[in-house]
Amino acid sequence: MNDVFHHALKFREDLCIGCSHCMNICPTEAIRVRHGKAHLQANRCVDCGECYRICPVGAIIVEQDDFENIYKYQTRIALLPSVFTGQFPNSISHTAIRSALHELGFTHVYEVEEGVEFLSDQFHQYIREKKTPRPLISPFCPAIVRLIQVKFPTLVNHIILLKAPLDITALNARQNLTEQGINPEEIGIFYITPCAAKIVAVKSPVGEQESVIDGVINMNYLYNKVRKIISHHRGADPLPEIPALNAKSVCWSLTHGESDHHEKGRSLAIDEINNVTEFLEKVENDEIKGIDFLELRACDESCAGGVLCPGNRFLTVNKMRERTSINPILSGIDNKGTLSYSSDRQKFLTDNMRIDPILPRSILKLDDDVAEAMVKMKRIYELNRILPQVDCGICGSPTCKSLSEDVVQDQADIKQCIFIQKILEQNEKLDIWESIKIMREIWSDNKLDKNSLKDEINIIN
Amino acid sequence: MHFEYFIEGGNFAEAGSTSSQVKKTLKQLNVDGTVIKRTVVALYEAEVNIVAHAYSGKITVELDEEKIDIKIVDEGPGIPDIKRAMEIGYSTASPEVREMGFGAGMGLSNMKNNSDKLNITSTVGKGTEVEIINYFHL
């Protein structure tokens, strides 16, 4: 396994103003401020995208494939998740959206949730066969899988080792087209993603050697393009009809989308990463009894709340639920559940849907060696005791506790704490210029430039 | 290393907080996941026992490179028949406690299954002392 992990979130130093909002919100304490810029610690990041959401200046970007990449392939498949349709008003038909994608250059459009019915059956079988441990955890949200790897290493064996609907649909699409005589090398499958975590799941999957997806297009980018086409009433060129999905499948990526497929009272759905963390603490203590299945999602309102979704998450959920109850032709939804794979195809998918065991990669361990870790822990307790517990972040670490850890791991100096500085200054153990130098190293020369407030200095006084 | 925690009898909302703290420490020490799990399960049971049966309790955790040694001392009614209390399904928990999802009579046997060494001594009318020892390497 690599020591450096691929992330879709990139920090643009040229735009970062060093405000530390991202550092304070990060649920895995993966961000530090140095030289006036936010820095990401790659091994701690789970790609949840909370930093992207909060950045006031757009300095955090989500890497995506160049749209022109689709033209590397003769057959260009768009994998369309239902939350994409949910971004549009229900007055815009499903066919209009698909036609617009066609006009943009895709030759085929497959709905991600097409794979749900098949996957749901596989889930049930998996849960029946695998009696322990309980509760089993859905592998659907890649940010949650990574959160468990880094923060809950003892729970990795609770994760169900099956692929997501996205992969099932991609496998099926590729197989369909190959059977139609298309050269597999000329088929490019592109996923329209609502979040950063799904990008990473495609680019460096956990439990798989290589993803079946060839590229990723960010949802907000494509939304603007599709919206423009539809508003110009172009894209009348209709695509062939695709199998209608049932309402339950369409809502899979919403909160309760998976748990609704399981026995009531024995399954639970939790969204938002801090809620999930709180609950996983209890699972780890073995406090949770009588639950077989956990649907855990990093975003509030699940994928409707994905960081790349342009629309308001509550409205998206509402629109999607409404869409499932209106005209099936308009919505591309059929409650009969007309979709079924041939028995050959089912066998093919069954053979290809397992993933390898997921390994822990704890960010909590202080050292590989227990004795060494214990020495470090003692030192952390000592340091943490003298810190003010204000968690102000002025030291460039998110909390007093994390500063003590950074100091012990040789990544920071205790004198970065402004309270420690003031105490040392009073005792004449630290020169004021020395402490200013320390602050400049954290927050940059600019923020602490002596001459920057020359004209305003009277106002301050 | 040495840690102490105090547990309040009857405070079910707080049951599990000591287990969570100890768990965090063991994770930082890079202790094997199976050992962490066993320790936390045993400790959680002990914590719930204090909350469900005793008036108050104190948990002392002693850590060295080889093992974790947890002493749980409570002031409470004590256990008249420890052998029987170890039997699966045996419970003296009140209906109220059972209603909250505790007191299924699995506590002590679950503790035994999840600890390398378990010592229980008790004086009726005074309290119970439990010691759990788990080794990091077997």
Side-chain angles (χ1 to χ4, degrees):
Chain A
M1 232 167 128
N2 274 339
D3 279 325
V4 179
F5 298 93
H6 179 95
H7 294 293
L9 297 156
K10 302 279 178 235
F11 288 51
R12 281 190 56 176
E13 277 208 10
D14 55 333
L15 297 178
C16 177
I17 57 167
C19 68
S20 78
H21 289 28
C22 56
M23 175 181 85
N24 292 321
I25 201 146
C26 176
T28 58
E29 298 185 335
I31 300 168
R32 301 290 181 274
V33 176
R34 294 290 181 270
H35 309 291
K37 307 286 173 190
H39 291 275
L40 185 68
Q41 298 186 346
N43 61 333
R44 301 183 78 100
C45 172
V46 297
D47 289 279
C48 67
E50 292 303 316
C51 53
Y52 174 90
R53 242 187 261 276
I54 206 168
C55 180
V57 294
I60 298 168
I61 53 163
V62 178
E63 178 192 66
Q64 67 176 328
D65 290 309
D66 184 354
F67 189 75
E68 297 301 312
N69 278 358
I70 70 167
Y71 291 105
K72 285 184 186 166
Y73 302 90
Q74 281 189 5
T75 303
R76 301 174 289 273
I77 301 173
L79 278 184
L80 181 73
S82 62
V83 283
F84 185 70
T85 316
Q87 304 304 310
F88 295 87
N90 283 346
S91 57
I92 293 176
S93 78
H94 193 252
T95 313
I97 295 166
R98 288 175 57 233
S99 298
L101 288 170
H102 192 40
E103 173 147 340
L104 280 167
F106 291 104
T107 57
H108 298 72
V109 177
Y110 273 82
E111 296 203 70
V112 168
E113 283 75 14
E114 188 204 285
V116 163
E117 272 184 73
F118 177 74
L119 182 69
S120 175
D121 290 343
Q122 296 283 320
F123 260 42
H124 283 126
Q125 202 176 331
Y126 188 100
I127 293 170
R128 266 198 308 274
E129 280 169 17
K130 198 167 160 69
K131 299 273 180 234
T132 57
R134 284 287 189 264
L136 288 168
I137 298 172
S138 165
F140 176 80
C141 176
I144 296 300
V145 170
R146 283 162 170 76
L147 178 76
I148 293 171
Q149 282 185 294
V150 302
K151 270 183 111 168
F152 299 95
T154 65
L155 295 180
V156 286
N157 62 339
H158 288 246
I159 301 170
I160 294 174
L161 298 176
L162 295 177
K163 288 180 179 166
L166 165 68
D167 305 294
I168 309 296
T169 305
L171 277 169
N172 182 53
R174 191 176 288 277
Q175 200 67 7
N176 274 349
L177 296 169
T178 311
E179 280 175 13
Q180 285 169 26
I182 298 171
N183 179 355
E185 298 204 340
E186 284 170 4
I187 302 171
I189 304 182
F190 292 84
Y191 173 55
I192 302 166
T193 182
C195 70
K198 287 279 186 192
I199 299 178
V200 183
V202 168
K203 301 288 175 185
S204 59
V206 175
E208 284 175 272
Q209 290 304 314
E210 206 185 342
S211 170
V212 284
I213 319 284
D214 299 292
V216 188
I217 316 278
N218 290 0
M219 189 171 286
N220 49 7
Y221 170 85
L222 207 61
Y223 172 79
N224 290 336
K225 292 205 163 251
V226 169
R227 205 61 217 254
K228 204 170 169 189
I229 288 178
I230 290 174
S231 68
H232 287 88
H233 295 287
R234 290 190 285 136
D237 191 7
L239 280 173
E241 277 304 308
I242 52 171
L245 306 177
N246 70 33
K248 236 177 161 182
S249 299
V250 169
C251 294
W252 179 269
S253 68
L254 301 182
T255 305
H256 296 291
E258 287 175 88
S259 68
D260 278 355
H261 288 249
H262 296 274
E263 199 184 330
K264 289 239 169 349
R266 297 195 68 87
S267 64
L268 211 56
I270 300 167
D271 59 11
E272 205 275 330
I273 192 160
N274 294 305
N275 293 338
V276 170
T277 302
E278 182 193 328
F279 196 80
L280 288 176
E281 283 285 341
K282 290 186 179 296
V283 175
E284 215 171 27
N285 289 4
D286 222 11
E287 288 179 46
I288 308 300
K289 313 276 186 211
I291 301 286
D292 294 327
F293 177 79
L294 285 179
E295 167 200 313
L296 306 175
R297 309 281 177 77
C299 294
D300 185 33
E301 296 296 333
S302 295
C303 297
V307 295
L308 298 173
C309 288
N312 175 279
R313 59 193 184 281
F314 304 109
L315 293 176
T316 302
V317 172
N318 194 44
K319 279 185 281 185
M320 285 172 68
R321 299 223 184 268
E322 193 189 28
R323 210 177 254 264
T324 59
S325 61
I326 55 176
N327 188 339
I329 296 158
L330 187 76
S331 59
I333 291 161
D334 182 348
N335 288 313
K336 288 201 295 278
T338 48
L339 190 86
S340 58
Y341 298 132
S342 70
S343 58
D344 276 0
R345 184 59 54 81
Q346 287 193 27
K347 188 179 179 310
F348 168 78
L349 292 174
T350 311
D351 291 345
N352 283 286
M353 68 180 311
R354 295 263 165 171
I355 55 172
D356 298 334
I358 292 166
L359 302 173
R361 47 181 186 89
S362 172
I363 54 170
L364 301 166
K365 66 176 180 191
L366 299 169
D367 203 282
D368 287 327
D369 177 59
V370 177
E372 190 56 35
M374 207 163 279
V375 172
K376 286 182 177 174
M377 184 179 279
K378 275 184 194 154
R379 182 96 181 102
I380 288 167
Y381 274 93
E382 281 166 16
L383 290 173
N384 194 37
R385 243 201 316 267
I386 63 169
L387 292 175
Q389 306 306 317
V390 175
D391 293 344
C392 62
I394 303 294
C395 61
S397 297
T399 62
C400 293
K401 185 84 193 298
S402 62
L403 175 64
S404 6
E405 288 168 12
D406 289 349
V407 171
V408 169
Q409 303 289 18
D410 289 329
Q411 287 163 3
D413 187 320
I414 191 77
K415 290 207 271 301
Q416 286 173 220
C417 171
I418 193 155
F419 290 83
I420 299 283
Q421 284 174 21
K422 295 294 163 205
I423 293 164
L424 292 174
E425 282 169 20
Q426 292 177 72
N427 288 292
E428 291 173 15
K429 300 277 189 203
L430 183 69
D431 177 74
I432 178 156
W433 290 107
E434 183 61 29
S435 72
I436 288 168
K437 191 178 157 229
I438 295 168
M439 295 312 276
R440 280 169 178 256
E441 274 169 21
I442 306 166
W443 295 101
S444 81
D445 293 346
N446 289 344
K447 275 207 175 70
L448 291 146
D449 182 2
K450 188 186 171 199
N451 299 318
S452 65
L453 295 179
K454 242 183 185 144
D455 299 332
E456 295 90 340
I457 219 112
N458 296 328
I459 309 170
I460 298 170
N461 288 326
Chain B
M1 292 185 82
H2 176 93
F3 304 93
E4 283 180 8
Y5 307 91
F6 293 91
I7 312 286
E8 193 188 336
N11 191 352
F12 284 93
E14 282 298 307
S17 61
T18 303
S19 315
S20 289
Q21 303 255 7
V22 170
K23 179 175 69 188
K24 193 155 183 239
T25 304
L26 293 177
K27 281 191 203 174
Q28 287 186 310
L29 294 177
N30 197 28
V31 170
D32 177 75
T34 325
V35 180
I36 297 182
K37 190 103 206 223
R38 280 164 57 78
T39 309
V40 167
V41 170
L43 179 55
Y44 177 69
E45 292 292 357
E47 242 187 290
V48 170
N49 279 344
I50 298 177
V51 173
H53 299 288
Y55 317 123
S56 71
K58 186 176 148 191
I59 296 178
T60 316
V61 176
E62 207 65 63
L63 278 164
D64 61 34
E65 288 162 33
E66 273 107 46
K67 64 180 185 302
I68 179 166
D69 186 336
I70 306 169
K71 287 193 184 69
I72 303 123
V73 181
D74 73 42
E75 284 176 33
I79 307 169
D81 187 346
I82 293 174
K83 214 178 144 200
R84 220 174 141 206
M86 299 288 281
E87 286 169 14
I88 292 172
Y90 180 81
S91 175
T92 58
S94 65
E96 291 81 14
V97 167
R98 285 165 192 256
E99 226 159 70
M100 297 176 82
F102 302 101
M106 308 297 284
L108 290 187
S109 56
N110 208 9
M111 263 160 74
K112 192 171 169 57
N113 291 339
N114 286 290
S115 44
D116 296 335
K117 278 186 189 163
L118 178 70
N119 298 312
I120 305 177
T121 52
S122 189
T123 315
V124 174
K126 223 177 145 211
T128 304
E129 281 189 47
V130 177
E131 187 181 24
I132 298 165
I133 299 175
N134 276 351
Y135 293 92
F136 299 154
H137 305 282
L138 290 176

